[in-house]
Each structure stands twice: as C-alpha cells, then as structure tokens.
Amino acid sequence: MAADLVIRDADVVDGSGAPSYRADVAVDDGRIVSIVKEAAAAGCQRPTATRELDAEGLVLSPGFIDMHAHSDLALLRDPDHSAKAAQGVTLEVIGQDGLSYAPVDDRTLEAVRRAVTGWNGPGDDIDFDWRSVGEYLDRLDRGIAVNAAYLVPQGTVRALVVGWEDRPATPAELDRMRRLVAEGLAQGAVGMSSGLTYTPGMYAGDAELTELCRVVAGYGGYYCPHHRSYGAGALGAYQEMVALAREAGCALHLAHATMNFGVNEGRAPELLALLDEALAAGADLSLDTYPYTPGCTTLAALLPGWANAGGPGETLRRLADEETAERVRYDLEVAGSDGCHGVPVEWDTVEISGVADPALAEYVGRTVEESAKARGEAPWATARRLLLADRLGTTVLQHVGHEENVRAIMRHRAHTGGSDGILQGARPHPRAHGTFPHYLGRYVRELGVLSLEECVAHLTSRPAARLRLPDRGLVREGHRADLVLFDPETVAAGATFEQPRALPTGIPHVLVDGRFVIEDGRRTDVLAGRSVRRTPV
C-alpha cells in the first residue's frame, strides 16, 4: 500500500552521529515506515506514496529538541509559534528554571504570574483553566504547533507549600512537596527543574533538594537545575549539583551550562574536567547550551535573594524604601549579589531587552549605564526606577559570556542544544528564534567546531535519550516522523541582536507527527504537537 508521503533522494543525517547516506524515506500515519538507501542508484523497488517530495540537495534529519525552552504560555497564546517551528524544533522542554504554572492554587498562580512576567508576559490573554501538571498537559493536548515535555518546577512547588519566605521547610512541608513532585511525575512530567538564583527556589538547601530528587529518581526522571552561580562560584555550584544528584541517585541535566563573567574567562576546560570525572565515576549526566555569548534574564533576577523574599509585592516595597534600596545597591554594586552570581554588577553589560509597560519603551536597546548617562544619574537610580515603574517585568541581556568557553562546552560528549529562549520583549535575545540554525550555519559550516553529523546528534538523539523517548531523535523505521529538511549550504539564523525575530533561512520543510508545520519555507495551519509525557520505568 502507498504511504502518506515519500521523501525522495534526501541526504539522511540520522541523528546517531554516523555518516550521512542518501535514501528515500516513507512516512505513514505519523511514523517512518520505510527507508530505502541509495534508492535511485540501486534500481531497487522504491517506496510509493500519495505524495512525493523531492529532497535533492537537502539534508533530512530528526526534528530538533530544544532542551531548555520558555514557551510555557507562548504555545497556548500563539498557534503559529514560528519562533521554534521555523528552526526545525519539533519538541520543546518547558517548566524550566524552577518557575512555571503547575502545580498551583489560585494564590500561587497569581504570584508566579507576576514573578515571571518578564519571561512569558502577564498572561492576561490566557485562560488558566488548570491547576495540576496533568491538567496543564491536557491543555497542551488540545493542539499546539510543536510537541512539549514538562518539568515539575521546584520553585513553584515551594511557593505552593512554603511560600516565598527564606527559611527551611518543615518536615510536614517537605512531605507535601515530595507528594506534589510525585504527582507531577505520575501525571507525565519528565523531571524536575530548579532556579537556584531565583526566588523562592533558591531558598531550598541541599538536603531539601536531595529529598525531592530521590522522588524524581524513583519515577525515572531527571533533575534540571539552574544552579547557584554561573559567575564567581560557578565551579563550586556545578560540583554541588553533581554531588547532590549522585547522593539522590538521580539523573542530572545541567541547564544552560555556561561559564560567564570575567572571573571565568578561559575556564571551560576546568568545568569539562569536572564533568568527565563525574561521568567516569558513573554519573548519569548531560547538559545544554545555546550558541551565543550574552545571557538573558529579568532585571529583578539580579537582585539579592533577601530582597526578593516574600514575593514580588515585598520586593517592590523594599525597592521603594530608601534605606533598604541602598542595601540592595551595595549588594549589587559592591558585594556581588547572589542574583548576579556573586559578581558585582557591571551596568554597561546589562542591556534592556523588553519592558512590560509600553510607556517605558525608551529604555529598550540601551544598557542601564547608557540610559543613566542620558539622564545624568547613577546607574542604580535608573535600574531602581525601571524596576518600580515596570513592576519587575523588565527583561535584560547580560553581555558577560566568552566565545572560547561556548565553543569548548558545545564539543563535549554530554552536550545537547537548548535555546533558553525568552520570547517576550521588544528586542529579545536572538537565541529564541535562531539557536538551531545558528548551530548548523555558524558552528558547523562556517567554523567547523562540530561536524554536521555530530551537531545533529547533539540536537536530536542525545536529548531524546535524556528524555527517555525510545521512538524519537533518530531517522529509523518505526520512529515518530518528527523531521526537518534543510539546505546545509544556506541554513542560517536570520535573527540578530538588531532584528531578533527574523526567521531562519535554509529550512524549507518541518514535519511534526508526519504533518507539515513548515512547508516550502512557510508556516502551515497544522497544530500537530502534543504533550510528550514521561515514559514509565
């Protein structure tokens, strides 16, 4: 019988890291049903289908898996979702950095919405008709542009049980957090995330985190921490997470594993040695990175943890008080706050990328220092005014990375790709729209940091293995037909820091579950994505 689709004469890079080969690939009912290598030359029986696609000159690979995405509301808000679909992304992992929208009650939901407005917008356009992890996944199953997997956000769990206070959890509270994490995993989450420079997740000690990770391990999930420092204490923070996960017997995936700020220039080999030692000792460990040097977060995230205790309302109250605000300034500019990774803030590296209040648009595209000079005031005065006026909704780029570190880490055998893409703001980080074609165009074709086959493996089969998805991440018969076709000679990120929402070039076709979401370079109206739930152990 004829299949739904046959892709003729593609150069298949199958995701395994093996050399490419030429083949016809047939797709039927959402799965790859036949692969006939060197079909044209061999003169063998070629697969037939109701539709044929000539892939001459194109690479066919598995769809890319974004291991660190912030599309928690964007998937619901924007059915088009070309930011990811046009890159060849067919699966995103959301619920990142310890803060998302399930599990919640009414009180916690309101506080979380305020805390992550800079990541996802205020959500006024969303009907929050869920409270549990399972209900959120069911909401995704009504139809989304690409597939999505979810991590139980440890900070949200702590907010629900303990609140936003800086104190240890009581034994009863820890028991309830264990139950909530277990419920989220039982309902389909693939693991648990933390944001250990974000409140309230940062208030959890290692013993508390270890107990929650034991629950994650029991369900075959993984722990994905944004750890306590990417700056002055970076190596110690990485070591802390490795030791914690090993103590809990839990798989570990290090989120946006970078070495930033001046104190870490050229120090990627030290991190990689630490990871190699852990792997040699039996650790189940992986990591993700984005192929850019600047980072992206909210302006409020740079504040010291004590200033954020009690939630967004208390933060604003402290900033409005002159004496308390001076304490905040000292921690930021002199001592080096935990929110800024233990490094005194350099305002000339902090660029405003988005504001929640359109009346503050004049700040966007300028560093805090530039805006302060234009106003004839100190940078902290500008930053404080913006935090108060924008109700903590401001997003920033931090230009604190190092290219040699980026290249060294992406070569590592445990590496996968993650955009960490924040889609909000007038000038978001281009990684949200450009990460995956930037890997292929810049770091494969132009720089040769990775071979094409290696790079595709980093973006497909490695993350699928971490997510325990046995039928994704490879071009194999029987696997899901989540596929991307791209031109290796022209694929590139269109997004730049000046034009961050420009779409990629050289990616004419993307299929999710065997259906075209990108066809001839244009977004279709297909919503083939669904929640991808944890595979039971």
Side-chain angles (χ1 to χ4, degrees), residues 2-15:
D4 294 333
L5 169 72
V6 62
I7 302 168
R8 296 270 189 223
D9 296 321
D11 291 322
V12 178
V13 176
D14 67 6

Side-chain angles (χ1 to χ4, degrees), residues 128-158:
F128 288 89
D129 59 351
W130 69 86
R131 292 297 179 267
S132 71
V133 169
E135 290 168 346
Y136 176 68
L137 297 178
D138 289 344
R139 176 68 180 275
L140 297 178
D141 284 342
R142 297 179 196 174
I144 50 180
V146 302
N147 298 307
Y150 189 73
L151 296 165
V152 178
Q154 171 258 329
T156 299
V157 169
R158 200 172 208 271

